[in-house]
Amino acid sequence: MAPAIKTIVFPVAGLGTRFLPATKAIPKEMLPIVDKPLIQYAVEEAAEAGIEHFVFVTGRGKNSIEDHFDRAFELETTLEATGKTEALEGLMNSRPRPGQMSFTRQQEPLGLGHAIWCARDVIGDRPFAVALPDELMHGEPGCLAQMVEVYREHGGNVVAVQEVREEHTSRYGIIKPGAAEGPVSEVRGMVEKPAATEAPSRLAMVGRYILQPEVFGPLAEGRRGAGNEIQLTDAMAELVGRQPFHALRFDGRRFDCGNKVGYLEANLAIGLERDDLGEELRRVLARHLA
């Protein structure tokens, strides 16, 4: 039986330049979708999948992420004293238990692969998950929970994929699929950000991974790939053929909150589903679309 996935890495060291000036002093992972920051959605998705240890690879100016998951004594005391029990419970439920969080620094912006490598001593020799928080996955069960089920059946490595338009393959890591059974495909190869004419498929990896610790071997070599960065895709490609490797077309919706339109769409979609907001939000949208 494959070892359980109990640890996840959140690479959160990026500068968020697409959202400047909003992200000058606020990490992009702390931008809210309605009333919760992006990073909290990702942590809740991981917890639903049975993951218990949350590892954040941070950079300068990211202290507010750590603060968000810490206690806020003054705020909690004020909420309790004023009888705002619902808000207080929301704060308490969003906080991982003591000892569940680890923080390490990526001191140079050398790419996603380098960010994952920075967590190597925390991960050790155990399989682990990775989630990119600006990819908001929305569905029940969550994307990571679906991936854990695939991992339990097949072991090895699992990536979440989604079909993208041909002209967008150069934005993603693209897999070469093999035999498929329902939404699960074997992975026979992968390439980072290929031109449409060179892409082995249109199945793009979209920010959720379950990986074996052997991936740290090629990452440690520090080889540069696309964009002159240390690419996680290149390291994973070396595991293909040596270990089981599968891709899951997950059941749910993906919002690319790394760009402005995707971020706005996520706010609208989540807001429209809310019992306390949906009806009024529809009226507001109707006025603007009239």
Side-chain angles (χ1 to χ4, degrees), residues 137-213:
M137 306 303 192
H138 188 53
E140 294 183 5
C143 181
L144 283 167
Q146 295 176 45
M147 293 174 68
V148 165
E149 288 302 312
V150 174
Y151 168 77
R152 285 173 179 159
E153 181 176 354
H154 296 284
N157 306 270
V158 183
V159 294
V161 296
Q162 185 178 65
E163 193 168 276
V164 298
R165 298 210 304 260
E166 186 175 348
E167 63 268 27
H168 289 173
T169 59
S170 60
R171 302 178 183 181
Y172 300 94
I174 303 294
I175 70 160
K176 179 181 180 181
E181 183 177 348
V184 179
S185 302
E186 292 180 355
V187 176
R188 293 185 175 172
M190 59 182 63
V191 60
E192 180 67 15
K193 298 178 179 176
T197 55
E198 300 174 359
S201 74
R202 292 193 291 131
L203 290 175
M205 293 181 283
V206 288
R208 297 294 186 274
Y209 314 82
I210 290 176
L211 300 172
Q212 296 298 311

Side-chain angles (χ1 to χ4, degrees), residues 5 11 18 47 76 114 157-158 184-185 196 208 210 216 224 229 243 245 247 254 268 278:
I5 303 299
R18 293 180 183 177
E76 292 173 14
H114 180 259
N157 306 270
V158 183
V184 179
S185 302
R208 297 294 186 274
I210 290 176
F216 290 123
R224 304 296 182 98
E229 294 183 333
Q243 298 178 340
F245 217 120
R254 164 187 170 249
L268 287 173

Side-chain angles (χ1 to χ4, degrees), residues 83-103:
K84 296 181 178 179
T85 56
E86 185 176 349
L88 178 60
E89 289 175 2
L91 283 182
M92 295 177 68
N93 291 338
S94 69
R95 188 172 63 232
R97 297 192 306 274
Q100 283 192 295
M101 295 178 293
S102 298
F103 295 84

Side-chain angles (χ1 to χ4, degrees), residues 212-285:
Q212 296 298 311
E214 284 79 8
V215 76
F216 290 123
L219 287 176
E221 297 175 14
R223 295 195 300 271
R224 304 296 182 98
N228 197 35
E229 294 183 333
I230 300 171
Q231 296 290 351
L232 179 60
T233 299
D234 295 341
M236 290 191 297
E238 297 198 23
L239 303 183
V240 176
R242 294 163 45 190
Q243 298 178 340
F245 217 120
H246 291 84
L248 169 68
R249 295 178 179 89
F250 70 96
D251 183 17
R253 298 181 66 186
R254 164 187 170 249
F255 300 100
D256 180 3
C257 295
N259 72 72
K260 295 172 186 176
V261 172
Y263 174 75
L264 292 171
E265 182 186 8
N267 273 280
L268 287 173
I270 302 299
L272 288 168
E273 289 184 2
R274 292 265 296 257
D275 292 336
D276 58 335
L277 299 174
E279 184 177 347
E280 185 176 357
L281 183 54
R282 284 181 176 85
R283 288 197 297 268
V284 170
L285 288 172

